[in-house]
């Protein structure tokens, strides 16, 4: 949609609800957040409306969530946004959109976990429950969770750019972590369900620990190391070991090595998003910087 940010208004959403889901149309409505792919609007106290606005890929991601998340949500120990209604494209809004449950709390990029033991246990319990074999027909990772060696070109580009911008103090140490991970044996187990995008803005905190996980648009089946990488950016210092011990089955050495490599790649990407935010560029998120820097510091310190 051209100039979608201006076109999505409370009035438009109210009209869409009256047209598609009139029983929800009179609920209080207010803007919750503008994310990378979607805008999120609160609908009363317990629901939210998610509408794509910034990327073309968001349409397929919303449909993916509508298809799969209701099946996964009942077995998860943290709250997640469960799709309740699907809005089909129309003349008023030519893209699909969702009504989901609302997950209260604050995103971890703005309110990091401070209770390390509780947060480690909560994250381990969530991923243990999520990481179960996916059925045939489950979505693929679009390059995520595959062989780390295939990401060499991306690593070179992101690391060189980050070093040039002064975002990485010791690029050689960062590269060494990735190279060790890329040399680890590949995953030979079944394709497991993965969240696929566990960065701090997609994990919700309350009272110093994790209480929810949002945005399942990148949900896919693959190597659990991809999700396990989140420990280095989400948890306070010293809590990663407890997380790895609490996760089931306890990850072997090769899986942890691969997880470190994915953590490096995710941190480098987040640093560029944060730098764009600091410069006031569209899509930038300055709050992504501190957890990304912390992740690289922890990863390189552990490798010494």
């Amino acid at each position: 949609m051209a100039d979608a940010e201006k076109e999505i208004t409370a009035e438009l959403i109210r009209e869409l609800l009256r047209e598609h889901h009139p029983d929800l149309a009179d609920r209080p409505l207010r803007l919750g957040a503008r994310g990378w792919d979607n805008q999120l609007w609160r609908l009363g106290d317990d629901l939210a409306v998610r509408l794509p606005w910034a990327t073309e890929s968001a349409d397929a991601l919303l449909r993916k969530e509508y298809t799969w998340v209701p099946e996964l949500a009942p077995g998860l120990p943290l709250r997640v946004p469960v799709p309740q209604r699907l809005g089909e494209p129309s003349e008023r809004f030519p893209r699909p959109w969702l009504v989901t449950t609302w997950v209260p709390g604050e995103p971890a990029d703005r309110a990091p976990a401070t209770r390390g033991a509780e947060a480690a246990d909560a994250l381990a319990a969530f991923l243990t429950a999520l990481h179960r074999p996916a059925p045939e027909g489950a979505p693929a990772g679009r390059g995520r969770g595959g062989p780390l060696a295939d990401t060499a070109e991306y690593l070179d580009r992101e690391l060189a750019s980050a070093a040039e911008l002064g975002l990485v103090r010791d690029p050689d140490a960062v590269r060494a972590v990735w190279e060790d991970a890329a040399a680890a044996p590949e995953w030979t187990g079944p394709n497991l369900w993965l969240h696929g995008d566990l960065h701090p803005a997609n994990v919700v905190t309350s009272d110093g620990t994790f209480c929810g996980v949002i945005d399942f648009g990148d949900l896919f089946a693959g190597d659990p190391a991809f999700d396990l990488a989140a420990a280095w950016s989400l948890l306070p210092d010293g809590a990663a070991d407890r997380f790895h011990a609490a996760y089931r089955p306890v990850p072997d050495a090769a899986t942890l090595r691969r997880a470190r490599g994915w953590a490096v790649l995710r941190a480098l990407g987040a640093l560029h998003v944060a730098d764009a935010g600091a410069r006031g560029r569209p899509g930038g998120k300055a709050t992504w910087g501190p957890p990304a820097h912390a992740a690289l510091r922890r990863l390189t310190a552990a490798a010494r």
Side-chain angles (χ1 to χ4, degrees):
M1 294 180 64
D3 204 12
E5 182 176 358
K6 292 182 179 178
E7 292 187 16
I8 296 178
T9 64
E11 181 180 358
L12 169 64
I13 297 172
R14 189 81 66 193
E15 290 175 354
L16 291 172
L17 289 170
R18 290 194 183 103
E19 180 179 355
H20 295 270
H21 306 290
D23 58 311
L24 302 177
D26 294 328
R27 285 182 165 225
L29 185 67
R30 65 185 186 279
L31 179 64
R34 289 187 174 97
W36 191 268
D37 295 306
N38 304 293
Q39 288 194 23
L40 184 71
W41 291 70
R42 292 287 304 271
L43 184 63
D45 294 328
D46 59 339
L47 296 176
V49 182
R50 291 178 62 201
L51 304 96
W53 73 290
T55 59
E56 293 182 2
S57 63
D59 297 25
L61 302 184
L62 288 178
R63 291 190 183 278
K64 183 202 299 187
E65 291 187 59
Y66 185 75
T67 299
W68 295 105
V69 173
E71 296 185 21
L72 296 172
L76 301 177
L78 298 180
R79 297 182 67 169
V80 302
V82 183
Q84 304 293 300
R85 313 279 183 92
L86 175 66
E88 294 289 356
S90 65
E91 290 186 6
R92 279 198 176 90
F93 191 74
R95 306 182 69 175
W97 48 280
L98 290 179
V99 177
T100 74
T101 57
W102 172 256
V103 177
E106 291 293 325
D109 63 322
R110 286 185 272 165
T114 54
R115 295 162 55 197
E118 292 87 347
D121 290 348
L123 184 62
F126 175 80
L127 290 181
T128 295
L130 176 63
H131 289 174
R132 57 182 187 261
E136 289 188 19
R142 299 182 302 161
R144 298 185 176 197
L148 268 165
D150 292 349
T151 67
E153 184 176 340
Y154 177 83
L155 181 281
D156 290 342
R157 182 176 66 251
E158 294 294 285
L159 184 55
S161 176
E164 183 178 348
L165 292 169
L167 304 176
V168 175
R169 294 182 179 179
D170 191 346
D172 290 339
V174 173
R175 179 177 294 279
V177 174
W178 180 88
E179 289 179 346
D180 176 74
E186 295 182 12
W187 175 250
T188 58
N191 286 330
L192 305 182
W193 276 121
L194 308 178
H195 178 276
D197 203 19
L198 280 177
H199 59 69
N202 283 343
V203 180
V204 179
T205 65
S206 177
D207 193 26
T209 188
F210 303 131
C211 63
V213 177
I214 62 175
D215 195 349
F216 282 72
D218 284 309
L219 182 75
F220 73 95
D223 176 4
F226 191 85
D227 274 357
L228 297 180
W232 286 279
S233 63
L234 287 173
L235 295 170
D237 285 348
D241 287 346
R242 180 174 179 127
F243 162 74
H244 295 137
Y247 175 82
R248 293 292 183 271
V250 175
D252 60 22
T255 298
L256 288 180
R257 287 169 66 189
R258 294 193 306 276
R260 293 185 186 100
W262 287 115
V264 163
L265 295 175
R266 301 306 302 276
L268 290 174
L271 286 179
H272 285 91
V273 173
D275 183 65
R279 298 169 188 268
R281 295 174 180 169
K285 307 281 185 181
T287 55
W288 290 25
H293 283 294
L296 292 182
R297 172 177 55 79
R298 293 162 185 156
L299 289 160
T300 54
R304 293 191 179 97

